[in-house]
Amino acid sequence: MGSLKGRSPVPPLRSRSACFLRMSEGAKLDKRAERRRIVASENFNRRGFGETKEEVQGMMVEEFTSDMVKELKENNNVIERNNVVIKLAESYGFCWGVERAVAMAYEARSFYKDDKIHITNEIIHNPGVNGRLKDMGYNFVPVNGGVKDFSDVKEGDVVVLPAFGASLEEMQLLDSKGCRIVDTTCPWVSKVWNAVDTHRRKDMTSVIHGKWAHEESIATASMADTYIIIKDMEEAKYVTNYILNGGNKEEFMAKFKNACSSGFDPDRDLKKVGIANQTTMYKEETAAIAKLFERTMLKKFGPENVNVHFMALDTICDATQERQDAINDLIRDDSVDFYLIVGGWDSSNTGHLLEIVHMNGKVGYHIDMAHRIREDGSIEHRETDGTITVTKDFLPKGKVTVGVTSGASTPDRYLQESVERVLMLKALEKDGAIA
Ligand code: SF4
């Protein structure tokens, strides 16, 4: 990495604590205007660093690309080695938004070579990539009891916001501290924020299809005035039933105590709703939930008023959709003995790929790193409910066909390393090292 010391894309820093206070004081804040103010600030960079681009691209090719994946693509996504047929899904691995975020994080490190540099949590949900950034000197803002501790982040430090975005409160805090912010938020996530802002301006409650504890949903919710986060169709049915028939308000609030805006009142706040989503949820489920709310509002308020009471904008990310479609295609291949899905255990989009496999009654293992496939023939993997399990002798004897894919935050290199572990086990079986 060449020295870039002394160069800075921004003029000297200044503190903005007065701006942050505006929200803390409880006055109704125009959140869109506040976000725009921070983004327009001289300390805010969301375009990257042109001068370091080439150098970073070279590093990323070296660290993340895979010869095996290249060979697969040259052979209609099928190759055979050591009695193992490997079939790769049509769409897999790094999406555009993740690749961009990682490149910006590398560029920021290269540009601010001698400055203290932090990431508000993980740049993406992949342990290998995050580990690499730690090796480069990144400080990951610690989380204590579910709350991020920014005490070590000081004026003038560089802070990188992850691909799935940061909450408005975090942006305000960093702005008020006079940090230099490098924003890698994926434009698809910003698109959802714009949808939520449209709801806000129309006095609608944002119904966010997502997981309330997920960083992306937290960030999206922070852009809304009134919101409720629902994780699946079952919760959607509960809420729509309440809209149509009323119900036990205490029970409702207990059920969504972590998943709605402060002061939320289901009797008052579910009359006008707009649908938004965490970009990595099932596109089909988001669409079905939107339809359910639309039907509910039609029934409750009549077709002539539905546009006042319901809104759904298309905010489903293409990359997520393509990976889900591709595994849906691959599971129709009856020659596949099991599916290997590679991606961070915290990665929501990777978890959904396993769910698709299981929903179709097929065998699948979700691993985050190659070493989960062990020399003794077992595999340590994540189940769809989040538990981590070890399955012994997971590899069928004799010739085997493996369907492989990876989540949107997984470099091809990690997919290759995982497949190589399967090949290694087959080789050991042949040699009689595994009974
Ligand atoms: S999965 Fe979609 S929303 Fe998420 S980073 Fe990739 S392109 Fe962006």
Side-chain angles (χ1 to χ4, degrees):
M1 240 184 260
S3 173
L4 295 159
K5 190 178 176 205
R7 284 182 277 152
S8 166
V10 296
L13 304 161
R14 61 172 186 258
S15 172
R16 293 185 173 78
S17 51
C19 303
F20 181 57
L21 278 177
R22 285 206 324 234
M23 193 152 177
S24 321
E25 283 161 0
K28 182 103 167 167
L29 182 75
D30 181 342
K31 294 186 170 182
R32 185 188 178 90
E34 178 66 349
R35 179 154 61 98
R36 284 187 164 174
R37 181 192 67 74
I38 297 171
V39 169
S41 135
E42 59 201 9
N43 285 337
F44 200 94
N45 178 346
R46 58 173 176 170
R47 292 183 192 283
F49 307 82
E51 297 163 68
T52 54
K53 221 166 209 145
E54 225 169 90
E55 173 190 347
V56 161
Q57 267 167 7
M59 285 168 71
M60 288 182 64
V61 167
E62 199 175 306
E63 292 178 25
F64 296 143
T65 55
S66 150
D67 291 341
M68 183 189 281
V69 169
K70 188 165 172 268
E71 193 187 334
L72 274 159
K73 279 159 82 176
E74 287 164 358
N75 289 281
N76 277 335
N77 290 22
V78 183
I79 57 171
E80 185 173 343
R81 302 249 172 92
N82 288 1
N83 231 9
V84 180
V85 178
I86 303 147
K87 295 193 171 180
L88 175 67
E90 265 309 309
S91 184
Y92 56 88
F94 261 11
C95 63
W96 173 83
V98 161
E99 198 164 346
R100 174 181 169 276
V102 175
M104 281 179 78
Y106 272 48
E107 285 172 26
R109 177 69 285 183
S110 184
F111 197 95
Y112 297 111
K113 194 174 169 50
D114 298 318
D115 291 302
K116 202 163 169 198
I117 192 161
H118 313 262
I119 289 187
T120 56
N121 198 323
E122 299 180 320
I123 183 79
I124 56 172
H125 290 132
N126 187 283
V129 176
N130 290 321
R132 176 74 183 100
L133 291 174
K134 277 182 191 159
D135 292 344
M136 290 164 82
Y138 268 94
N139 169 50
F140 282 51
V141 171
V143 181
N144 299 323
V147 180
K148 284 185 202 158
D149 178 0
F150 285 96
S151 56
D152 196 35
V153 179
K154 308 284 188 219
E155 180 172 359
D157 288 357
V158 180
V159 183
V160 175
L161 309 183
F164 34 79
S167 70
L168 185 58
E169 290 82 355
E170 273 179 27
M171 287 165 74
Q172 286 182 306
L173 176 66
L174 298 170
D175 179 63
S176 73
K177 277 179 176 258
C179 297
R180 287 171 286 183
I181 302 171
V182 178
D183 179 20
T184 76
T185 305
C186 176
W188 280 99
V189 175
S190 307
K191 194 175 165 194
V192 180
W193 295 354
N194 291 339
V196 162
D197 189 68
T198 305
H199 306 155
R200 201 179 56 77
R201 282 183 286 124
K202 289 178 177 289
D203 281 330
M204 288 176 146
T205 291
S206 293
V207 174
I208 302 166
H209 176 216
K211 296 170 185 164
W212 65 262
H214 192 283
E215 296 265 340
E216 186 188 317
S217 288
I218 292 169
T220 297
S222 78
M223 307 297 167
D225 279 345
T226 314
Y227 68 86
I228 181 163
I229 302 173
I230 52 172
K231 74 168 188 290
D232 53 22
M233 182 53 94
E234 197 187 318
E235 290 193 353
K237 283 181 181 162
Y238 181 90
V239 174
T240 49
N241 182 53
Y242 192 96
I243 292 172
L244 286 176
N245 306 312
N248 183 330
K249 191 161 151 179
E250 263 178 38
E251 181 194 275
F252 186 106
M253 291 311 295
K255 193 173 172 69
F256 293 101
K257 67 176 187 299
N258 294 314
C260 56
S261 43
S262 158
F264 188 88
D265 180 342
D267 295 330
R268 182 195 59 211
D269 295 327
L270 290 171
K271 295 196 167 102
K272 290 165 76 180
V273 299
I275 307 296
N277 62 302
Q278 188 183 308
T279 52
T280 47
M281 300 304 276
Y282 276 137
K283 60 154 187 167
E284 275 146 26
E285 193 174 38
T286 301
I289 286 171
K291 272 272 159 245
L292 176 64
F293 273 89
E294 186 177 21
R295 281 200 308 274
T296 302
M297 292 319 203
L298 263 168
K299 207 165 169 185
K300 177 99 178 169
F301 299 103
E304 67 282 12
N305 297 313
V306 73
N307 290 340
V308 177
H309 294 274
F310 173 80
M311 171 179 272
L313 302 163
D314 179 11
T315 54
I316 292 169
C317 154
D318 278 349
T320 303
Q321 187 173 325
E322 282 162 11
R323 280 150 192 72
Q324 289 174 8
D325 290 347
I327 193 73
N328 257 315
D329 287 345
L330 195 57
I331 50 174
R332 291 202 195 99
D333 185 337
D334 287 333
S335 71
V336 173
D337 294 294
F338 70 90
Y339 293 83
L340 187 65
I341 296 145
V342 186
W345 278 340
D346 291 339
S347 162
S348 182
N349 79 84
T350 312
H352 288 315
L353 298 177
L354 178 68
E355 279 170 25
I356 291 171
V357 170
H358 282 182
M359 277 185 325
N360 285 277
K362 304 285 175 106
V363 178
Y365 304 105
H366 171 187
I367 59 170
D368 59 347
M369 301 290 281
H371 69 263
R372 306 290 177 191
I373 298 172
R374 300 150 156 187
E375 287 84 350
D376 66 358
S378 66
I379 185 168
E380 187 179 18
H381 56 103
R382 184 188 185 278
E383 301 282 10
T384 47
D385 65 1
T387 53
I388 308 299
T389 317
V390 175
T391 301
K392 289 183 181 165
D393 302 323
F394 77 99
L395 198 54
K397 298 281 180 285
K399 188 167 179 173
V400 67
T401 300
V402 189
V404 294
T405 188
S406 52
S409 44
T410 312
D412 289 351
R413 179 70 55 92
Y414 300 174
L415 181 76
Q416 172 174 333
E417 287 168 2
S418 303
V419 173
E420 280 170 346
R421 299 284 289 187
V422 174
L423 299 178
M424 178 201 74
L425 284 187
K426 263 293 157 208
L428 289 174
E429 179 189 303
K430 216 166 142 197
D431 297 345
I434 296 179

